[in-house]
Amino acid sequence: MDKLVDHLKQCILFKGLTSQELQNLIININYSIKDNCESHVNCHAYIVALEGDICNSLGIVIQGELEVQKHYASGKIVTLANLNTGNIFGEAIAFSETNVYPATIVSYKDSTILYILKKDIIAMCSSYPKVLNNFMELLSSKILLLNTKIKELSFETLRQKICNYLLSLYEIQKTLNLILPMSRKNLADHLGVQRPSLSREFVNMKSDGLIEFNKNLVNIKDLDGVYNILS
């Protein structure tokens, strides 16, 4: 029980709760824990949920790393999000009238996931105002993230997508010397493009005097020029 409480402390849903409050909460709800999900065709991957599956519970990653993926008929796979220990999925879908997973969730490492049914989520929120507040914050953050994704999809060119991403980092890091928080491959997946295309455009932007880069470091050389690409 103590080990489970330690894991759940990393989850935003339980932010502000003491260890004793978390123990009492767990004792008074029904939950299930699932290890090593169903094998994927790739022997190194496990299916957590398939697009179109019914979702009636919230999932919390206790251990492992998951990817939220969109699979297309052409065979293309786009990674929409990465989920690590303490991250949550299914919280909005479970309460939707169309409560099916809109994407596939895959684990590439041994994963342990705790599931809480919708009725128990309601019970938690009723008994613990902090959990209710955290749940509302979580949903609000997801809405903002969705708006960001919609904005990204509205850009027609790869250069626009890259500039938008770099400017979002600039607003967060408050410096023109940016540290990319993900690998080039993951960035390509995030932007929905092939890695070679992303690398070529980085080189083209360097040639045009917009940026300099070295591994995961990017320096914006022409901030106005980057802004103008989005205008």
Side-chain angles (χ1 to χ4, degrees):
M1 176 66 76
D2 289 342
K3 189 173 182 181
L4 178 58
V5 167
D6 288 339
H7 284 304
L8 292 180
K9 279 183 177 179
Q10 300 181 57
C11 178
I12 188 175
L13 190 62
F14 306 115
K15 181 180 66 176
L17 267 65
T18 66
S19 296
Q20 187 59 55
E21 286 175 324
L22 258 176
Q23 283 192 353
N24 293 338
L25 183 152
I26 293 168
I27 290 171
N28 288 292
I29 64 169
N30 294 309
Y31 65 88
S32 62
I33 294 178
K34 188 172 182 181
D35 297 308
N36 287 347
C37 305
E38 177 186 352
S39 292
H40 191 263
V41 289
N42 179 340
C43 62
H44 299 296
Y46 299 92
I47 293 292
V48 175
L50 283 170
E51 180 176 350
D53 283 353
I54 296 295
C55 174
N56 55 15
S57 61
L58 172 154
I60 302 174
V61 182
I62 299 299
Q63 177 180 300
E65 297 176 7
L66 312 183
E67 281 189 4
V68 182
Q69 301 176 341
K70 191 69 176 179
H71 293 233
Y72 295 93
S74 63
K76 180 180 179 181
I77 299 175
V78 175
T79 299
L80 303 177
N82 295 287
L83 305 175
N84 299 306
T85 301
N87 289 157
I88 295 176
F89 61 91
E91 70 282 356
I93 307 167
F95 287 89
S96 169
E97 289 185 5
T98 310
N99 60 325
V100 297
Y101 285 102
T104 294
I105 303 176
V106 173
S107 169
Y108 288 101
K109 292 186 177 180
D110 291 347
S111 60
T112 302
I113 302 168
L114 182 145
Y115 291 96
I116 305 174
L117 291 173
K118 183 168 70 172
K119 64 181 181 65
D120 290 294
I121 299 171
I122 295 171
M124 285 193 311
C125 290
S126 299
S127 301
Y128 296 87
K130 288 179 182 177
V131 175
L132 175 60
N133 183 72
N134 294 338
F135 191 69
M136 292 298 101
E137 282 187 11
L138 185 62
L139 292 179
S140 297
S141 297
K142 288 294 176 75
I143 291 171
L144 292 175
L145 181 61
L146 179 59
N147 288 338
T148 300
K149 280 290 182 184
I150 292 172
K151 182 180 179 182
E152 289 174 355
L153 292 172
S154 70
F155 296 122
E156 297 179 355
T157 69
L158 175 54
R159 180 167 294 200
Q160 287 177 320
K161 293 179 180 180
I162 294 172
C163 288
N164 178 68
Y165 178 74
L166 294 180
L167 288 174
S168 69
L169 290 183
Y170 170 63
E171 291 177 2
I172 295 170
Q173 299 181 14
K174 309 298 183 185
T175 175
L176 295 175
N177 298 307
L178 306 173
I179 300 174
L180 299 183
M182 63 180 76
S183 68
R184 197 72 61 86
K185 178 185 180 301
N186 287 340
L187 178 56
D189 290 340
H190 175 77
L191 297 177
V193 299
Q194 297 296 317
R195 182 177 175 179
S197 299
L198 178 67
S199 296
R200 280 195 302 271
E201 192 56 41
F202 263 75
V203 171
N204 292 337
M205 290 175 67
K206 179 179 179 180
S207 298
D208 292 341
L210 293 168
I211 63 171
E212 291 282 350
F213 62 89
N214 180 29
K215 296 182 179 179
N216 70 325
L217 302 177
V218 176
N219 173 242
I220 299 178
K221 304 294 290 184
D222 184 358
L223 184 60
D224 290 337
V226 171
Y227 272 116
N228 288 337
I229 289 168
L230 300 181
S231 61

